[in-house]
PDB file of all heavy atoms in Angstrom:
ATOM      1  N   ASP A 202    -118.048  83.488  90.080  1.00  0.00           N
ATOM      2  CA  ASP A 202    -118.365  82.295  89.319  1.00  0.00           C
ATOM      3  C   ASP A 202    -119.486  81.486  90.032  1.00  0.00           C
ATOM      4  O   ASP A 202    -119.282  81.022  91.143  1.00  0.00           O
ATOM      5  CB  ASP A 202    -117.099  81.431  89.146  1.00  0.00           C
ATOM      6  CG  ASP A 202    -117.290  80.260  88.196  1.00  0.00           C
ATOM      7  OD1 ASP A 202    -118.423  79.762  88.090  1.00  0.00           O
ATOM      8  OD2 ASP A 202    -116.302  79.835  87.587  1.00  0.00           O
ATOM      9  N   PRO A 203    -120.627  81.307  89.384  1.00  0.00           N
ATOM     10  CA  PRO A 203    -121.720  80.572  90.042  1.00  0.00           C
ATOM     11  C   PRO A 203    -121.367  79.127  90.350  1.00  0.00           C
ATOM     12  O   PRO A 203    -121.860  78.561  91.325  1.00  0.00           O
ATOM     13  CB  PRO A 203    -122.889  80.678  89.057  1.00  0.00           C
ATOM     14  CG  PRO A 203    -122.253  80.999  87.720  1.00  0.00           C
ATOM     15  CD  PRO A 203    -121.050  81.808  88.042  1.00  0.00           C
ATOM     16  N   GLU A 204    -120.533  78.519  89.531  1.00  0.00           N
ATOM     17  CA  GLU A 204    -120.132  77.116  89.807  1.00  0.00           C
ATOM     18  C   GLU A 204    -119.340  77.074  91.107  1.00  0.00           C
ATOM     19  O   GLU A 204    -119.479  76.142  91.907  1.00  0.00           O
ATOM     20  CB  GLU A 204    -119.278  76.551  88.664  1.00  0.00           C
ATOM     21  CG  GLU A 204    -120.040  76.267  87.382  1.00  0.00           C
ATOM     22  CD  GLU A 204    -119.140  75.634  86.332  1.00  0.00           C
ATOM     23  OE1 GLU A 204    -118.214  74.887  86.708  1.00  0.00           O
ATOM     24  OE2 GLU A 204    -119.389  75.838  85.155  1.00  0.00           O
ATOM     25  N   VAL A 205    -118.479  78.073  91.320  1.00  0.00           N
ATOM     26  CA  VAL A 205    -117.662  78.116  92.521  1.00  0.00           C
ATOM     27  C   VAL A 205    -118.532  78.368  93.758  1.00  0.00           C
ATOM     28  O   VAL A 205    -118.394  77.689  94.786  1.00  0.00           O
ATOM     29  CB  VAL A 205    -116.567  79.196  92.392  1.00  0.00           C
ATOM     30  CG1 VAL A 205    -115.829  79.390  93.722  1.00  0.00           C
ATOM     31  CG2 VAL A 205    -115.587  78.838  91.289  1.00  0.00           C
ATOM     32  N   THR A 206    -119.461  79.323  93.676  1.00  0.00           N
ATOM     33  CA  THR A 206    -120.281  79.609  94.837  1.00  0.00           C
ATOM     34  C   THR A 206    -121.238  78.454  95.155  1.00  0.00           C
ATOM     35  O   THR A 206    -121.477  78.140  96.316  1.00  0.00           O
ATOM     36  CB  THR A 206    -121.093  80.911  94.650  1.00  0.00           C
ATOM     37  OG1 THR A 206    -121.805  80.856  93.408  1.00  0.00           O
ATOM     38  CG2 THR A 206    -120.150  82.107  94.624  1.00  0.00           C
ATOM     39  N   ASP A 207    -121.746  77.776  94.122  1.00  0.00           N
ATOM     40  CA  ASP A 207    -122.607  76.633  94.348  1.00  0.00           C
ATOM     41  C   ASP A 207    -121.832  75.497  95.057  1.00  0.00           C
ATOM     42  O   ASP A 207    -122.335  74.888  95.993  1.00  0.00           O
ATOM     43  CB  ASP A 207    -123.183  76.106  93.024  1.00  0.00           C
ATOM     44  CG  ASP A 207    -124.260  76.997  92.450  1.00  0.00           C
ATOM     45  OD1 ASP A 207    -124.703  77.923  93.152  1.00  0.00           O
ATOM     46  OD2 ASP A 207    -124.622  76.791  91.275  1.00  0.00           O
ATOM     47  N   ARG A 208    -120.606  75.278  94.595  1.00  0.00           N
ATOM     48  CA  ARG A 208    -119.784  74.236  95.204  1.00  0.00           C
ATOM     49  C   ARG A 208    -119.429  74.597  96.642  1.00  0.00           C
ATOM     50  O   ARG A 208    -119.468  73.792  97.550  1.00  0.00           O
ATOM     51  CB  ARG A 208    -118.515  74.019  94.384  1.00  0.00           C
ATOM     52  CG  ARG A 208    -117.615  72.882  94.885  1.00  0.00           C
ATOM     53  CD  ARG A 208    -116.367  72.706  94.064  1.00  0.00           C
ATOM     54  NE  ARG A 208    -115.430  73.799  94.296  1.00  0.00           N
ATOM     55  CZ  ARG A 208    -114.994  74.623  93.365  1.00  0.00           C
ATOM     56  NH1 ARG A 208    -115.436  74.512  92.136  1.00  0.00           N
ATOM     57  NH2 ARG A 208    -114.102  75.555  93.654  1.00  0.00           N
ATOM     58  N   ALA A 209    -119.090  75.894  96.865  1.00  0.00           N
ATOM     59  CA  ALA A 209    -118.775  76.353  98.205  1.00  0.00           C
ATOM     60  C   ALA A 209    -119.933  76.197  99.134  1.00  0.00           C
ATOM     61  O   ALA A 209    -119.774  75.716 100.273  1.00  0.00           O
ATOM     62  CB  ALA A 209    -118.296  77.808  98.151  1.00  0.00           C
ATOM     63  N   ARG A 210    -121.128  76.585  98.712  1.00  0.00           N
ATOM     64  CA  ARG A 210    -122.321  76.486  99.532  1.00  0.00           C
ATOM     65  C   ARG A 210    -122.584  75.035  99.932  1.00  0.00           C
ATOM     66  O   ARG A 210    -122.850  74.718 101.106  1.00  0.00           O
ATOM     67  CB  ARG A 210    -123.520  77.069  98.784  1.00  0.00           C
ATOM     68  CG  ARG A 210    -124.873  76.993  99.492  1.00  0.00           C
ATOM     69  CD  ARG A 210    -124.962  77.996 100.631  1.00  0.00           C
ATOM     70  NE  ARG A 210    -124.325  77.528 101.852  1.00  0.00           N
ATOM     71  CZ  ARG A 210    -123.910  78.365 102.817  1.00  0.00           C
ATOM     72  NH1 ARG A 210    -124.028  79.638 102.693  1.00  0.00           N
ATOM     73  NH2 ARG A 210    -123.330  77.854 103.905  1.00  0.00           N
ATOM     74  N   GLU A 211    -122.511  74.161  98.937  1.00  0.00           N
ATOM     75  CA  GLU A 211    -122.780  72.738  99.202  1.00  0.00           C
ATOM     76  C   GLU A 211    -121.759  72.154 100.177  1.00  0.00           C
ATOM     77  O   GLU A 211    -122.102  71.441 101.125  1.00  0.00           O
ATOM     78  CB  GLU A 211    -122.774  71.957  97.903  1.00  0.00           C
ATOM     79  CG  GLU A 211    -123.063  70.470  98.039  1.00  0.00           C
ATOM     80  CD  GLU A 211    -123.052  69.740  96.704  1.00  0.00           C
ATOM     81  OE1 GLU A 211    -123.002  70.421  95.670  1.00  0.00           O
ATOM     82  OE2 GLU A 211    -123.112  68.506  96.709  1.00  0.00           O
ATOM     83  N   SER A 212    -120.482  72.469  99.982  1.00  0.00           N
ATOM     84  CA  SER A 212    -119.408  71.915 100.816  1.00  0.00           C
ATOM     85  C   SER A 212    -119.468  72.483 102.229  1.00  0.00           C
ATOM     86  O   SER A 212    -119.278  71.752 103.226  1.00  0.00           O
ATOM     87  CB  SER A 212    -118.055  72.204 100.171  1.00  0.00           C
ATOM     88  OG  SER A 212    -117.935  71.573  98.926  1.00  0.00           O
ATOM     89  N   LEU A 213    -119.728  73.778 102.345  1.00  0.00           N
ATOM     90  CA  LEU A 213    -119.837  74.368 103.668  1.00  0.00           C
ATOM     91  C   LEU A 213    -120.979  73.778 104.460  1.00  0.00           C
ATOM     92  O   LEU A 213    -120.857  73.502 105.683  1.00  0.00           O
ATOM     93  CB  LEU A 213    -120.011  75.897 103.548  1.00  0.00           C
ATOM     94  CG  LEU A 213    -118.733  76.656 103.179  1.00  0.00           C
ATOM     95  CD1 LEU A 213    -119.096  78.072 102.660  1.00  0.00           C
ATOM     96  CD2 LEU A 213    -117.774  76.760 104.367  1.00  0.00           C
ATOM     97  N   ASP A 214    -122.111  73.563 103.806  1.00  0.00           N
ATOM     98  CA  ASP A 214    -123.244  72.941 104.467  1.00  0.00           C
ATOM     99  C   ASP A 214    -122.903  71.532 104.943  1.00  0.00           C
ATOM    100  O   ASP A 214    -123.203  71.137 106.086  1.00  0.00           O
ATOM    101  CB  ASP A 214    -124.471  72.907 103.562  1.00  0.00           C
ATOM    102  CG  ASP A 214    -125.068  74.290 103.325  1.00  0.00           C
ATOM    103  OD1 ASP A 214    -124.712  75.231 104.090  1.00  0.00           O
ATOM    104  OD2 ASP A 214    -125.844  74.417 102.354  1.00  0.00           O
ATOM    105  N   GLU A 215    -122.229  70.782 104.062  1.00  0.00           N
ATOM    106  CA  GLU A 215    -121.880  69.396 104.417  1.00  0.00           C
ATOM    107  C   GLU A 215    -120.917  69.351 105.572  1.00  0.00           C
ATOM    108  O   GLU A 215    -120.987  68.436 106.446  1.00  0.00           O
ATOM    109  CB  GLU A 215    -121.267  68.688 103.216  1.00  0.00           C
ATOM    110  CG  GLU A 215    -120.899  67.248 103.459  1.00  0.00           C
ATOM    111  CD  GLU A 215    -120.311  66.566 102.239  1.00  0.00           C
ATOM    112  OE1 GLU A 215    -120.391  67.132 101.133  1.00  0.00           O
ATOM    113  OE2 GLU A 215    -119.742  65.469 102.390  1.00  0.00           O
ATOM    114  N   ALA A 216    -119.999  70.324 105.631  1.00  0.00           N
ATOM    115  CA  ALA A 216    -118.965  70.309 106.674  1.00  0.00           C
ATOM    116  C   ALA A 216    -119.457  70.947 107.984  1.00  0.00           C
ATOM    117  O   ALA A 216    -118.706  70.973 108.959  1.00  0.00           O
ATOM    118  CB  ALA A 216    -117.734  71.059 106.170  1.00  0.00           C
ATOM    119  N   GLY A 217    -120.685  71.481 108.011  1.00  0.00           N
ATOM    120  CA  GLY A 217    -121.218  72.010 109.239  1.00  0.00           C
ATOM    121  C   GLY A 217    -121.043  73.497 109.384  1.00  0.00           C
ATOM    122  O   GLY A 217    -121.157  74.050 110.521  1.00  0.00           O
ATOM    123  N   TYR A 218    -120.831  74.215 108.263  1.00  0.00           N
ATOM    124  CA  TYR A 218    -120.636  75.681 108.345  1.00  0.00           C
ATOM    125  C   TYR A 218    -121.749  76.394 107.553  1.00  0.00           C
ATOM    126  O   TYR A 218    -121.484  77.264 106.736  1.00  0.00           O
ATOM    127  CB  TYR A 218    -119.243  76.050 107.800  1.00  0.00           C
ATOM    128  CG  TYR A 218    -118.127  75.417 108.590  1.00  0.00           C
ATOM    129  CD1 TYR A 218    -117.564  74.225 108.193  1.00  0.00           C
ATOM    130  CD2 TYR A 218    -117.678  76.028 109.759  1.00  0.00           C
ATOM    131  CE1 TYR A 218    -116.548  73.646 108.945  1.00  0.00           C
ATOM    132  CE2 TYR A 218    -116.660  75.456 110.521  1.00  0.00           C
ATOM    133  CZ  TYR A 218    -116.098  74.238 110.107  1.00  0.00           C
ATOM    134  OH  TYR A 218    -115.105  73.680 110.864  1.00  0.00           O
ATOM    135  N   GLY A 219    -122.950  76.007 107.841  1.00  0.00           N
ATOM    136  CA  GLY A 219    -124.099  76.559 107.130  1.00  0.00           C
ATOM    137  C   GLY A 219    -124.322  78.043 107.409  1.00  0.00           C
ATOM    138  O   GLY A 219    -125.057  78.705 106.646  1.00  0.00           O
ATOM    139  N   ASP A 220    -123.713  78.570 108.461  1.00  0.00           N
ATOM    140  CA  ASP A 220    -123.922  79.975 108.800  1.00  0.00           C
ATOM    141  C   ASP A 220    -122.922  80.906 108.075  1.00  0.00           C
ATOM    142  O   ASP A 220    -123.001  82.138 108.226  1.00  0.00           O
ATOM    143  CB  ASP A 220    -123.871  80.221 110.291  1.00  0.00           C
ATOM    144  CG  ASP A 220    -122.553  79.807 110.920  1.00  0.00           C
ATOM    145  OD1 ASP A 220    -121.737  79.183 110.229  1.00  0.00           O
ATOM    146  OD2 ASP A 220    -122.335  80.127 112.113  1.00  0.00           O
ATOM    147  N   VAL A 221    -122.024  80.363 107.273  1.00  0.00           N
ATOM    148  CA  VAL A 221    -121.212  81.209 106.411  1.00  0.00           C
ATOM    149  C   VAL A 221    -122.069  81.722 105.262  1.00  0.00           C
ATOM    150  O   VAL A 221    -122.754  80.962 104.588  1.00  0.00           O
ATOM    151  CB  VAL A 221    -119.980  80.437 105.852  1.00  0.00           C
ATOM    152  CG1 VAL A 221    -119.261  81.240 104.785  1.00  0.00           C
ATOM    153  CG2 VAL A 221    -119.032  80.059 106.972  1.00  0.00           C
ATOM    154  N   THR A 222    -122.052  83.026 105.033  1.00  0.00           N
ATOM    155  CA  THR A 222    -122.803  83.626 103.936  1.00  0.00           C
ATOM    156  C   THR A 222    -122.008  83.547 102.659  1.00  0.00           C
ATOM    157  O   THR A 222    -120.854  83.976 102.620  1.00  0.00           O
ATOM    158  CB  THR A 222    -123.126  85.098 104.260  1.00  0.00           C
ATOM    159  OG1 THR A 222    -123.910  85.138 105.449  1.00  0.00           O
ATOM    160  CG2 THR A 222    -123.910  85.734 103.108  1.00  0.00           C
ATOM    161  N   VAL A 223    -122.568  82.940 101.587  1.00  0.00           N
ATOM    162  CA  VAL A 223    -121.911  82.805 100.293  1.00  0.00           C
ATOM    163  C   VAL A 223    -122.676  83.653  99.313  1.00  0.00           C
ATOM    164  O   VAL A 223    -123.902  83.518  99.176  1.00  0.00           O
ATOM    165  CB  VAL A 223    -121.851  81.345  99.841  1.00  0.00           C
ATOM    166  CG1 VAL A 223    -121.187  81.276  98.465  1.00  0.00           C
ATOM    167  CG2 VAL A 223    -121.080  80.506 100.838  1.00  0.00           C
ATOM    168  N   VAL A 224    -121.979  84.572  98.631  1.00  0.00           N
ATOM    169  CA  VAL A 224    -122.601  85.514  97.708  1.00  0.00           C
ATOM    170  C   VAL A 224    -121.982  85.372  96.330  1.00  0.00           C
ATOM    171  O   VAL A 224    -120.739  85.342  96.211  1.00  0.00           O
ATOM    172  CB  VAL A 224    -122.420  86.960  98.221  1.00  0.00           C
ATOM    173  CG1 VAL A 224    -122.994  87.950  97.210  1.00  0.00           C
ATOM    174  CG2 VAL A 224    -123.031  87.152  99.600  1.00  0.00           C
ATOM    175  N   ARG A 225    -122.815  85.277  95.310  1.00  0.00           N
ATOM    176  CA  ARG A 225    -122.314  85.298  93.931  1.00  0.00           C
ATOM    177  C   ARG A 225    -122.364  86.741  93.428  1.00  0.00           C
ATOM    178  O   ARG A 225    -123.427  87.296  93.205  1.00  0.00           O
ATOM    179  CB  ARG A 225    -123.122  84.377  93.014  1.00  0.00           C
ATOM    180  CG  ARG A 225    -122.552  84.392  91.586  1.00  0.00           C
ATOM    181  CD  ARG A 225    -123.249  83.348  90.700  1.00  0.00           C
ATOM    182  NE  ARG A 225    -124.635  83.682  90.408  1.00  0.00           N
ATOM    183  CZ  ARG A 225    -125.025  84.532  89.451  1.00  0.00           C
ATOM    184  NH1 ARG A 225    -124.123  85.142  88.691  1.00  0.00           N
ATOM    185  NH2 ARG A 225    -126.295  84.767  89.249  1.00  0.00           N
ATOM    186  N   SER A 226    -121.175  87.338  93.277  1.00  0.00           N
ATOM    187  CA  SER A 226    -121.073  88.692  92.834  1.00  0.00           C
ATOM    188  C   SER A 226    -119.629  88.964  92.469  1.00  0.00           C
ATOM    189  O   SER A 226    -118.750  88.127  92.709  1.00  0.00           O
ATOM    190  CB  SER A 226    -121.524  89.638  93.943  1.00  0.00           C
ATOM    191  OG  SER A 226    -121.510  90.998  93.502  1.00  0.00           O
TER     192      SER A 226
END
Side-chain angles (χ1 to χ4, degrees):
D202 188 331
E204 289 185 31
V205 172
T206 53
D207 287 349
R208 185 180 72 240
R210 178 74 278 158
E211 181 179 351
S212 299
L213 285 163
D214 289 345
E215 181 180 347
Y218 299 95
D220 59 351
V221 171
T222 300
V223 179
V224 177
R225 181 173 70 82
S226 183

